[in-house]
Amino acid sequence: MPFTIAIIGRPNVGKSTLFNRLVGQKLALVDDVPGVTRDRREGEAKLFDLNFTIIDTAGLDEGPKGSLTARMQEQTETAIALADALFFVIDARIGLTPADRAFADVARRADKPVLLLANKSEGKHGELGAMESYALGLGDPIQISAEHGEGMGELYDAVSKLVPPTDDEEDEHEETDEERANRPIRVAIVGRPNAGKSTLINHLLGEERLLTSPEAGTTRDSIAVEIEWKGRGFRIFDTAGLRRRSRIEEKLEKLSVADALRAVRFAEVVVLMMDAQNRFEEQDLRIADLIEREGRALVIAVNKWDLMDGNPGQISMLRRDADHWLPQVAGAPIVAVSGLMGEGIDRLMQAIVEAYAVWNRRVPTAALNRWFEGAIADNPPPAVSGRRLKLNYITQTKARPPSFVLFCSRADAIPQSYLRYLTNSMRETFELPGTPVRITLREKANPFAHKRKRPN
């Protein structure tokens, strides 16, 4: 197990900024508003030649039992229990507050190595605040500026005394083909606010790993969790709910939406979660169209199915509705689930595995061109301006998603309706349901184009 460090402290002291600097990416949302981070978030940190796991946590705060604030603190306490050491962060510009003193006791009771980080130490005011932090009794403060990267050398000196040395042979290990094949499938779960995304993932994990609430917009960061199902690994990203752009006003929600879109682009399979009682609304269709444009495999999960009346034929109706509203991803798997009750979870996971296999599928060239000849014979391309369009041959250039190049004459004249015909025929013949199919047109070079016409 890698050495793990949890970043703790009261809200808005710069914990997520420090997390982003250590992982080398803007993974955690950062804003001036306190309490942006709600769930705990893990990342692989690199500090010069030191490698360790870092956990960003919600700000330590007090709240009534059962409230969202109290459950945020429970997530932080879980992170403390999982960690091998703690970064206790204070805001050096503000100096010590009663909350810092109270939560320093929490850090001491954890009975783990604690490094006291006086963040925002740049300037004269930061220096004074850092000196105050000696009163916490957590040792010498390390003065840093997570935003500007100051004090990282001093932080390295302190962390290097905690992190065990890594084996050079492990660092030089190259990934084998078998390891690549066994790599976890990256899955993003997206949908409108309050569709039940976090509840579903909690049921998959068997624990309250992600915060849930009847209030829409509880999830802000895209949180990644690792699960295993029937011996196969999955890395699942919970994302913030996606509303129509016209309704997004707050800067924080804009950041959350951007984070969710990054999760879609990083994923291999995207699960679009809908509310069973309000399915296939305009925003659901927009999200599905985004997934198709990004070239990700799509699985549709209709959640809260336990609230439906259970009339026979409901599942068949779902299938018809999906093909009607989403013709661009015809045949996409659709699964009725209840994240709260755990119904349909196995069917959903099986659908993800199958969608991933289709997304990676390669069609043999010989079979592809036999289909191509038959498709043209059954429905020849239309004549444009009195001239027939000539389609020469087709080849697959890559998978993930299946992408093809069609060599032809006058590529700009081939109508989109004919390309849709070829795409739908290919889906049916080679069993490519739901996954995006890309056909790129390329004009075959004319061997006589360089020759001048003879004068009459």
mmCIF file of all heavy atoms in Angstrom, residues 259-300:
data_model
loop_
_atom_site.group_PDB
_atom_site.id
_atom_site.type_symbol
_atom_site.label_atom_id
_atom_site.label_comp_id
_atom_site.label_asym_id
_atom_site.label_seq_id
_atom_site.Cartn_x
_atom_site.Cartn_y
_atom_site.Cartn_z
ATOM 1 N N ASP A 259 -15.809 20.354 -14.275
ATOM 2 C CA ASP A 259 -15.159 19.164 -13.717
ATOM 3 C C ASP A 259 -15.870 17.896 -14.192
ATOM 4 O O ASP A 259 -15.247 16.890 -14.517
ATOM 5 C CB ASP A 259 -15.175 19.247 -12.188
ATOM 6 C CG ASP A 259 -14.079 18.411 -11.544
ATOM 7 O OD1 ASP A 259 -13.006 18.261 -12.160
ATOM 8 O OD2 ASP A 259 -14.301 17.900 -10.446
ATOM 9 N N ALA A 260 -17.199 17.948 -14.258
ATOM 10 C CA ALA A 260 -17.971 16.797 -14.740
ATOM 11 C C ALA A 260 -17.688 16.523 -16.209
ATOM 12 O O ALA A 260 -17.563 15.364 -16.630
ATOM 13 C CB ALA A 260 -19.470 17.051 -14.528
ATOM 14 N N LEU A 261 -17.560 17.575 -17.001
ATOM 15 C CA LEU A 261 -17.262 17.390 -18.426
ATOM 16 C C LEU A 261 -15.874 16.797 -18.625
ATOM 17 O O LEU A 261 -15.660 15.979 -19.531
ATOM 18 C CB LEU A 261 -17.386 18.729 -19.164
ATOM 19 C CG LEU A 261 -18.784 19.352 -19.165
ATOM 20 C CD1 LEU A 261 -18.781 20.675 -19.907
ATOM 21 C CD2 LEU A 261 -19.796 18.407 -19.775
ATOM 22 N N ARG A 262 -14.929 17.188 -17.764
ATOM 23 C CA ARG A 262 -13.588 16.575 -17.845
ATOM 24 C C ARG A 262 -13.673 15.084 -17.535
ATOM 25 O O ARG A 262 -12.971 14.263 -18.143
ATOM 26 C CB ARG A 262 -12.626 17.261 -16.872
ATOM 27 C CG ARG A 262 -11.999 18.528 -17.408
ATOM 28 C CD ARG A 262 -10.783 18.950 -16.574
ATOM 29 N NE ARG A 262 -11.133 19.235 -15.198
ATOM 30 C CZ ARG A 262 -11.529 20.433 -14.766
ATOM 31 N NH1 ARG A 262 -11.640 21.432 -15.611
ATOM 32 N NH2 ARG A 262 -11.817 20.625 -13.496
ATOM 33 N N ALA A 263 -14.515 14.717 -16.577
ATOM 34 C CA ALA A 263 -14.677 13.297 -16.235
ATOM 35 C C ALA A 263 -15.218 12.513 -17.424
ATOM 36 O O ALA A 263 -14.803 11.375 -17.675
ATOM 37 C CB ALA A 263 -15.603 13.141 -15.024
ATOM 38 N N VAL A 264 -16.152 13.109 -18.180
ATOM 39 C CA VAL A 264 -16.692 12.449 -19.373
ATOM 40 C C VAL A 264 -15.586 12.221 -20.389
ATOM 41 O O VAL A 264 -15.464 11.139 -20.971
ATOM 42 C CB VAL A 264 -17.835 13.289 -19.981
ATOM 43 C CG1 VAL A 264 -18.237 12.745 -21.353
ATOM 44 C CG2 VAL A 264 -19.037 13.313 -19.053
ATOM 45 N N ARG A 265 -14.751 13.223 -20.609
ATOM 46 C CA ARG A 265 -13.678 13.104 -21.611
ATOM 47 C C ARG A 265 -12.620 12.095 -21.183
ATOM 48 O O ARG A 265 -11.972 11.478 -22.026
ATOM 49 C CB ARG A 265 -13.048 14.475 -21.864
ATOM 50 C CG ARG A 265 -14.032 15.478 -22.459
ATOM 51 C CD ARG A 265 -13.388 16.822 -22.761
ATOM 52 N NE ARG A 265 -14.387 17.744 -23.275
ATOM 53 C CZ ARG A 265 -14.866 18.788 -22.611
ATOM 54 N NH1 ARG A 265 -14.425 19.052 -21.384
ATOM 55 N NH2 ARG A 265 -15.781 19.566 -23.143
ATOM 56 N N PHE A 266 -12.446 11.934 -19.876
ATOM 57 C CA PHE A 266 -11.440 11.002 -19.368
ATOM 58 C C PHE A 266 -11.972 9.573 -19.337
ATOM 59 O O PHE A 266 -11.212 8.612 -19.353
ATOM 60 C CB PHE A 266 -11.027 11.441 -17.953
ATOM 61 C CG PHE A 266 -9.970 10.583 -17.321
ATOM 62 C CD1 PHE A 266 -8.660 10.641 -17.754
ATOM 63 C CD2 PHE A 266 -10.288 9.710 -16.293
ATOM 64 C CE1 PHE A 266 -7.686 9.845 -17.172
ATOM 65 C CE2 PHE A 266 -9.327 8.914 -15.705
ATOM 66 C CZ PHE A 266 -8.012 8.985 -16.143
ATOM 67 N N ALA A 267 -13.297 9.418 -19.318
ATOM 68 C CA ALA A 267 -13.916 8.094 -19.154
ATOM 69 C C ALA A 267 -13.842 7.284 -20.444
ATOM 70 O O ALA A 267 -13.602 7.806 -21.537
ATOM 71 C CB ALA A 267 -15.369 8.246 -18.715
ATOM 72 N N GLU A 268 -14.062 5.981 -20.288
ATOM 73 C CA GLU A 268 -14.206 5.075 -21.421
ATOM 74 C C GLU A 268 -15.671 4.709 -21.637
ATOM 75 O O GLU A 268 -16.136 4.599 -22.768
ATOM 76 C CB GLU A 268 -13.363 3.822 -21.182
ATOM 77 C CG GLU A 268 -11.881 4.132 -21.129
ATOM 78 C CD GLU A 268 -11.044 3.015 -20.533
ATOM 79 O OE1 GLU A 268 -11.489 2.391 -19.555
ATOM 80 O OE2 GLU A 268 -9.936 2.775 -21.046
ATOM 81 N N VAL A 269 -16.393 4.513 -20.541
ATOM 82 C CA VAL A 269 -17.836 4.272 -20.583
ATOM 83 C C VAL A 269 -18.501 5.350 -19.724
ATOM 84 O O VAL A 269 -18.022 5.657 -18.631
ATOM 85 C CB VAL A 269 -18.196 2.873 -20.045
ATOM 86 C CG1 VAL A 269 -19.710 2.655 -20.107
ATOM 87 C CG2 VAL A 269 -17.463 1.785 -20.810
ATOM 88 N N VAL A 270 -19.593 5.924 -20.234
ATOM 89 C CA VAL A 270 -20.337 6.927 -19.479
ATOM 90 C C VAL A 270 -21.744 6.402 -19.225
ATOM 91 O O VAL A 270 -22.441 5.975 -20.154
ATOM 92 C CB VAL A 270 -20.417 8.269 -20.236
ATOM 93 C CG1 VAL A 270 -21.201 9.297 -19.418
ATOM 94 C CG2 VAL A 270 -19.020 8.794 -20.530
ATOM 95 N N VAL A 271 -22.135 6.400 -17.957
ATOM 96 C CA VAL A 271 -23.490 5.998 -17.569
ATOM 97 C C VAL A 271 -24.318 7.267 -17.420
ATOM 98 O O VAL A 271 -24.022 8.112 -16.574
ATOM 99 C CB VAL A 271 -23.483 5.200 -16.253
ATOM 100 C CG1 VAL A 271 -24.915 4.889 -15.819
ATOM 101 C CG2 VAL A 271 -22.687 3.915 -16.410
ATOM 102 N N LEU A 272 -25.319 7.413 -18.285
ATOM 103 C CA LEU A 272 -26.244 8.543 -18.184
ATOM 104 C C LEU A 272 -27.405 8.116 -17.292
ATOM 105 O O LEU A 272 -28.183 7.234 -17.641
ATOM 106 C CB LEU A 272 -26.752 8.926 -19.578
ATOM 107 C CG LEU A 272 -27.896 9.942 -19.622
ATOM 108 C CD1 LEU A 272 -27.529 11.222 -18.885
ATOM 109 C CD2 LEU A 272 -28.294 10.231 -21.061
ATOM 110 N N MET A 273 -27.507 8.753 -16.121
ATOM 111 C CA MET A 273 -28.534 8.374 -15.157
ATOM 112 C C MET A 273 -29.710 9.326 -15.260
ATOM 113 O O MET A 273 -29.540 10.550 -15.245
ATOM 114 C CB MET A 273 -27.963 8.371 -13.737
ATOM 115 C CG MET A 273 -28.957 7.907 -12.704
ATOM 116 S SD MET A 273 -28.158 7.442 -11.160
ATOM 117 C CE MET A 273 -27.493 5.856 -11.610
ATOM 118 N N MET A 274 -30.901 8.739 -15.412
ATOM 119 C CA MET A 274 -32.127 9.516 -15.498
ATOM 120 C C MET A 274 -33.051 9.148 -14.340
ATOM 121 O O MET A 274 -32.978 8.054 -13.793
ATOM 122 C CB MET A 274 -32.865 9.217 -16.812
ATOM 123 C CG MET A 274 -32.086 9.488 -18.065
ATOM 124 S SD MET A 274 -33.092 9.085 -19.521
ATOM 125 C CE MET A 274 -31.843 9.250 -20.807
ATOM 126 N N ASP A 275 -33.954 10.064 -14.017
ATOM 127 C CA ASP A 275 -35.000 9.809 -13.028
ATOM 128 C C ASP A 275 -36.138 9.093 -13.729
ATOM 129 O O ASP A 275 -36.654 9.569 -14.752
ATOM 130 C CB ASP A 275 -35.479 11.141 -12.441
ATOM 131 C CG ASP A 275 -36.411 10.959 -11.258
ATOM 132 O OD1 ASP A 275 -37.283 10.065 -11.325
ATOM 133 O OD2 ASP A 275 -36.287 11.711 -10.279
ATOM 134 N N ALA A 276 -36.549 7.940 -13.214
ATOM 135 C CA ALA A 276 -37.580 7.130 -13.873
ATOM 136 C C ALA A 276 -38.883 7.905 -14.062
ATOM 137 O O ALA A 276 -39.621 7.660 -15.023
ATOM 138 C CB ALA A 276 -37.845 5.861 -13.047
ATOM 139 N N GLN A 277 -39.167 8.842 -13.179
ATOM 140 C CA GLN A 277 -40.435 9.571 -13.260
ATOM 141 C C GLN A 277 -40.345 10.796 -14.172
ATOM 142 O O GLN A 277 -41.367 11.390 -14.502
ATOM 143 C CB GLN A 277 -40.882 9.988 -11.856
ATOM 144 C CG GLN A 277 -41.177 8.787 -10.955
ATOM 145 C CD GLN A 277 -41.460 9.189 -9.528
ATOM 146 O OE1 GLN A 277 -40.708 9.942 -8.917
ATOM 147 N NE2 GLN A 277 -42.561 8.680 -8.983
ATOM 148 N N ASN A 278 -39.130 11.180 -14.565
ATOM 149 C CA ASN A 278 -38.932 12.336 -15.454
ATOM 150 C C ASN A 278 -37.817 12.017 -16.447
ATOM 151 O O ASN A 278 -36.806 12.709 -16.504
ATOM 152 C CB ASN A 278 -38.571 13.588 -14.641
ATOM 153 C CG ASN A 278 -39.631 13.965 -13.646
ATOM 154 O OD1 ASN A 278 -40.667 14.494 -13.989
ATOM 155 N ND2 ASN A 278 -39.378 13.673 -12.374
ATOM 156 N N ARG A 279 -37.999 10.957 -17.211
ATOM 157 C CA ARG A 279 -36.924 10.494 -18.093
ATOM 158 C C ARG A 279 -37.021 11.129 -19.487
ATOM 159 O O ARG A 279 -38.075 11.578 -19.903
ATOM 160 C CB ARG A 279 -36.946 8.976 -18.206
ATOM 161 C CG ARG A 279 -38.249 8.369 -18.663
ATOM 162 C CD ARG A 279 -38.191 6.853 -18.612
ATOM 163 N NE ARG A 279 -39.358 6.204 -19.142
ATOM 164 C CZ ARG A 279 -40.373 5.767 -18.434
ATOM 165 N NH1 ARG A 279 -40.370 5.953 -17.116
ATOM 166 N NH2 ARG A 279 -41.398 5.171 -19.003
ATOM 167 N N PHE A 280 -35.884 11.134 -20.146
ATOM 168 C CA PHE A 280 -35.747 11.657 -21.513
ATOM 169 C C PHE A 280 -36.227 13.101 -21.616
ATOM 170 O O PHE A 280 -36.895 13.487 -22.573
ATOM 171 C CB PHE A 280 -36.486 10.764 -22.522
ATOM 172 C CG PHE A 280 -35.899 9.395 -22.646
ATOM 173 C CD1 PHE A 280 -36.563 8.303 -22.107
ATOM 174 C CD2 PHE A 280 -34.667 9.202 -23.257
ATOM 175 C CE1 PHE A 280 -36.018 7.028 -22.192
ATOM 176 C CE2 PHE A 280 -34.104 7.937 -23.348
ATOM 177 C CZ PHE A 280 -34.780 6.851 -22.818
ATOM 178 N N GLU A 281 -35.878 13.888 -20.582
ATOM 179 C CA GLU A 281 -36.135 15.313 -20.681
ATOM 180 C C GLU A 281 -35.068 15.958 -21.557
ATOM 181 O O GLU A 281 -34.060 15.337 -21.906
ATOM 182 C CB GLU A 281 -36.167 15.945 -19.293
ATOM 183 C CG GLU A 281 -37.338 15.460 -18.449
ATOM 184 C CD GLU A 281 -37.623 16.355 -17.265
ATOM 185 O OE1 GLU A 281 -36.768 17.227 -16.972
ATOM 186 O OE2 GLU A 281 -38.679 16.177 -16.635
ATOM 187 N N GLU A 282 -35.278 17.216 -21.900
ATOM 188 C CA GLU A 282 -34.391 17.875 -22.862
ATOM 189 C C GLU A 282 -32.930 17.831 -22.421
ATOM 190 O O GLU A 282 -32.028 17.574 -23.228
ATOM 191 C CB GLU A 282 -34.827 19.330 -23.054
ATOM 192 C CG GLU A 282 -33.975 20.071 -24.085
ATOM 193 C CD GLU A 282 -34.377 21.521 -24.235
ATOM 194 O OE1 GLU A 282 -35.344 21.949 -23.560
ATOM 195 O OE2 GLU A 282 -33.719 22.234 -25.014
ATOM 196 N N GLN A 283 -32.677 18.055 -21.125
ATOM 197 C CA GLN A 283 -31.295 18.042 -20.657
ATOM 198 C C GLN A 283 -30.680 16.657 -20.743
ATOM 199 O O GLN A 283 -29.489 16.516 -21.029
ATOM 200 C CB GLN A 283 -31.219 18.583 -19.217
ATOM 201 C CG GLN A 283 -29.803 18.701 -18.652
ATOM 202 C CD GLN A 283 -28.941 19.716 -19.408
ATOM 203 O OE1 GLN A 283 -29.360 20.328 -20.383
ATOM 204 N NE2 GLN A 283 -27.708 19.870 -18.963
ATOM 205 N N ASP A 284 -31.469 15.595 -20.513
ATOM 206 C CA ASP A 284 -30.963 14.232 -20.686
ATOM 207 C C ASP A 284 -30.488 14.022 -22.124
ATOM 208 O O ASP A 284 -29.434 13.428 -22.366
ATOM 209 C CB ASP A 284 -32.060 13.210 -20.359
ATOM 210 C CG ASP A 284 -32.485 13.243 -18.903
ATOM 211 O OD1 ASP A 284 -31.611 13.467 -18.047
ATOM 212 O OD2 ASP A 284 -33.681 13.043 -18.632
ATOM 213 N N LEU A 285 -31.271 14.504 -23.086
ATOM 214 C CA LEU A 285 -30.919 14.330 -24.497
ATOM 215 C C LEU A 285 -29.659 15.116 -24.846
ATOM 216 O O LEU A 285 -28.825 14.650 -25.628
ATOM 217 C CB LEU A 285 -32.086 14.775 -25.385
ATOM 218 C CG LEU A 285 -33.452 14.113 -25.101
ATOM 219 C CD1 LEU A 285 -34.493 14.586 -26.110
ATOM 220 C CD2 LEU A 285 -33.333 12.593 -25.120
ATOM 221 N N ARG A 286 -29.523 16.306 -24.258
ATOM 222 C CA ARG A 286 -28.319 17.104 -24.504
ATOM 223 C C ARG A 286 -27.072 16.399 -23.954
ATOM 224 O O ARG A 286 -26.012 16.401 -24.586
ATOM 225 C CB ARG A 286 -28.454 18.487 -23.856
ATOM 226 C CG ARG A 286 -29.467 19.396 -24.524
ATOM 227 C CD ARG A 286 -29.587 20.704 -23.754
ATOM 228 N NE ARG A 286 -30.570 21.582 -24.320
ATOM 229 C CZ ARG A 286 -30.337 22.470 -25.282
ATOM 230 N NH1 ARG A 286 -29.116 22.585 -25.782
ATOM 231 N NH2 ARG A 286 -31.309 23.241 -25.743
ATOM 232 N N ILE A 287 -27.207 15.810 -22.767
ATOM 233 C CA ILE A 287 -26.063 15.110 -22.169
ATOM 234 C C ILE A 287 -25.692 13.901 -23.024
ATOM 235 O O ILE A 287 -24.508 13.641 -23.281
ATOM 236 C CB ILE A 287 -26.383 14.692 -20.720
ATOM 237 C CG1 ILE A 287 -26.610 15.926 -19.837
ATOM 238 C CG2 ILE A 287 -25.252 13.843 -20.149
ATOM 239 C CD1 ILE A 287 -27.160 15.592 -18.458
ATOM 240 N N ALA A 288 -26.699 13.146 -23.488
ATOM 241 C CA ALA A 288 -26.425 11.984 -24.346
ATOM 242 C C ALA A 288 -25.725 12.409 -25.626
ATOM 243 O O ALA A 288 -24.800 11.733 -26.106
ATOM 244 C CB ALA A 288 -27.726 11.252 -24.662
ATOM 245 N N ASP A 289 -26.157 13.528 -26.197
ATOM 246 C CA ASP A 289 -25.524 14.024 -27.423
ATOM 247 C C ASP A 289 -24.071 14.415 -27.161
ATOM 248 O O ASP A 289 -23.188 14.166 -27.994
ATOM 249 C CB ASP A 289 -26.315 15.217 -27.954
ATOM 250 C CG ASP A 289 -25.923 15.580 -29.376
ATOM 251 O OD1 ASP A 289 -25.946 14.695 -30.251
ATOM 252 O OD2 ASP A 289 -25.566 16.749 -29.607
ATOM 253 N N LEU A 290 -23.805 15.017 -25.997
ATOM 254 C CA LEU A 290 -22.428 15.354 -25.622
ATOM 255 C C LEU A 290 -21.570 14.100 -25.536
ATOM 256 O O LEU A 290 -20.436 14.061 -26.032
ATOM 257 C CB LEU A 290 -22.433 16.092 -24.281
ATOM 258 C CG LEU A 290 -21.071 16.221 -23.588
ATOM 259 C CD1 LEU A 290 -20.191 17.206 -24.337
ATOM 260 C CD2 LEU A 290 -21.230 16.635 -22.133
ATOM 261 N N ILE A 291 -22.106 13.044 -24.902
ATOM 262 C CA ILE A 291 -21.356 11.790 -24.756
ATOM 263 C C ILE A 291 -21.015 11.217 -26.126
ATOM 264 O O ILE A 291 -19.895 10.753 -26.373
ATOM 265 C CB ILE A 291 -22.167 10.785 -23.915
ATOM 266 C CG1 ILE A 291 -22.357 11.315 -22.487
ATOM 267 C CG2 ILE A 291 -21.492 9.415 -23.881
ATOM 268 C CD1 ILE A 291 -23.417 10.575 -21.698
ATOM 269 N N GLU A 292 -21.993 11.251 -27.054
ATOM 270 C CA GLU A 292 -21.749 10.734 -28.403
ATOM 271 C C GLU A 292 -20.680 11.562 -29.116
ATOM 272 O O GLU A 292 -19.804 11.007 -29.781
ATOM 273 C CB GLU A 292 -23.067 10.747 -29.188
ATOM 274 C CG GLU A 292 -23.037 9.951 -30.483
ATOM 275 C CD GLU A 292 -22.439 10.715 -31.647
ATOM 276 O OE1 GLU A 292 -22.461 11.972 -31.611
ATOM 277 O OE2 GLU A 292 -21.933 10.087 -32.603
ATOM 278 N N ARG A 293 -20.746 12.885 -28.988
ATOM 279 C CA ARG A 293 -19.745 13.744 -29.651
ATOM 280 C C ARG A 293 -18.354 13.500 -29.102
ATOM 281 O O ARG A 293 -17.363 13.598 -29.834
ATOM 282 C CB ARG A 293 -20.126 15.224 -29.489
ATOM 283 C CG ARG A 293 -21.355 15.644 -30.263
ATOM 284 C CD ARG A 293 -21.403 17.159 -30.461
ATOM 285 N NE ARG A 293 -21.171 17.894 -29.233
ATOM 286 C CZ ARG A 293 -22.120 18.252 -28.365
ATOM 287 N NH1 ARG A 293 -23.382 17.906 -28.601
ATOM 288 N NH2 ARG A 293 -21.840 18.939 -27.281
ATOM 289 N N GLU A 294 -18.265 13.187 -27.795
ATOM 290 C CA GLU A 294 -16.959 12.916 -27.204
ATOM 291 C C GLU A 294 -16.456 11.516 -27.534
ATOM 292 O O GLU A 294 -15.312 11.177 -27.221
ATOM 293 C CB GLU A 294 -17.027 13.084 -25.680
ATOM 294 C CG GLU A 294 -17.224 14.515 -25.217
ATOM 295 C CD GLU A 294 -16.034 15.413 -25.547
ATOM 296 O OE1 GLU A 294 -14.910 14.868 -25.695
ATOM 297 O OE2 GLU A 294 -16.226 16.627 -25.676
ATOM 298 N N GLY A 295 -17.310 10.689 -28.163
ATOM 299 C CA GLY A 295 -16.876 9.359 -28.590
ATOM 300 C C GLY A 295 -16.775 8.347 -27.467
ATOM 301 O O GLY A 295 -15.986 7.407 -27.545
ATOM 302 N N ARG A 296 -17.578 8.500 -26.407
ATOM 303 C CA ARG A 296 -17.547 7.558 -25.292
ATOM 304 C C ARG A 296 -18.648 6.510 -25.457
ATOM 305 O O ARG A 296 -19.703 6.784 -26.039
ATOM 306 C CB ARG A 296 -17.768 8.259 -23.953
ATOM 307 C CG ARG A 296 -16.876 9.435 -23.652
ATOM 308 C CD ARG A 296 -15.431 9.052 -23.587
ATOM 309 N NE ARG A 296 -14.728 9.437 -24.793
ATOM 310 C CZ ARG A 296 -13.436 9.241 -24.991
ATOM 311 N NH1 ARG A 296 -12.706 8.629 -24.078
ATOM 312 N NH2 ARG A 296 -12.871 9.614 -26.112
ATOM 313 N N ALA A 297 -18.424 5.315 -24.921
ATOM 314 C CA ALA A 297 -19.482 4.299 -24.893
ATOM 315 C C ALA A 297 -20.558 4.750 -23.906
ATOM 316 O O ALA A 297 -20.254 5.284 -22.838
ATOM 317 C CB ALA A 297 -18.903 2.951 -24.476
ATOM 318 N N LEU A 298 -21.817 4.516 -24.279
ATOM 319 C CA LEU A 298 -22.939 5.019 -23.478
ATOM 320 C C LEU A 298 -23.767 3.873 -22.924
ATOM 321 O O LEU A 298 -24.099 2.928 -23.636
ATOM 322 C CB LEU A 298 -23.830 5.922 -24.344
ATOM 323 C CG LEU A 298 -25.168 6.362 -23.737
ATOM 324 C CD1 LEU A 298 -24.942 7.258 -22.523
ATOM 325 C CD2 LEU A 298 -26.013 7.081 -24.778
ATOM 326 N N VAL A 299 -24.102 3.972 -21.624
ATOM 327 C CA VAL A 299 -25.076 3.094 -20.984
ATOM 328 C C VAL A 299 -26.099 3.997 -20.303
ATOM 329 O O VAL A 299 -25.722 4.947 -19.607
ATOM 330 C CB VAL A 299 -24.422 2.153 -19.952
ATOM 331 C CG1 VAL A 299 -25.480 1.353 -19.210
ATOM 332 C CG2 VAL A 299 -23.428 1.221 -20.625
ATOM 333 N N ILE A 300 -27.381 3.729 -20.501
ATOM 334 C CA ILE A 300 -28.440 4.538 -19.895
ATOM 335 C C ILE A 300 -28.985 3.791 -18.676
ATOM 336 O O ILE A 300 -29.392 2.631 -18.776
ATOM 337 C CB ILE A 300 -29.579 4.803 -20.898
ATOM 338 C CG1 ILE A 300 -29.034 5.535 -22.128
ATOM 339 C CG2 ILE A 300 -30.687 5.621 -20.251
ATOM 340 C CD1 ILE A 300 -30.030 5.616 -23.275
#
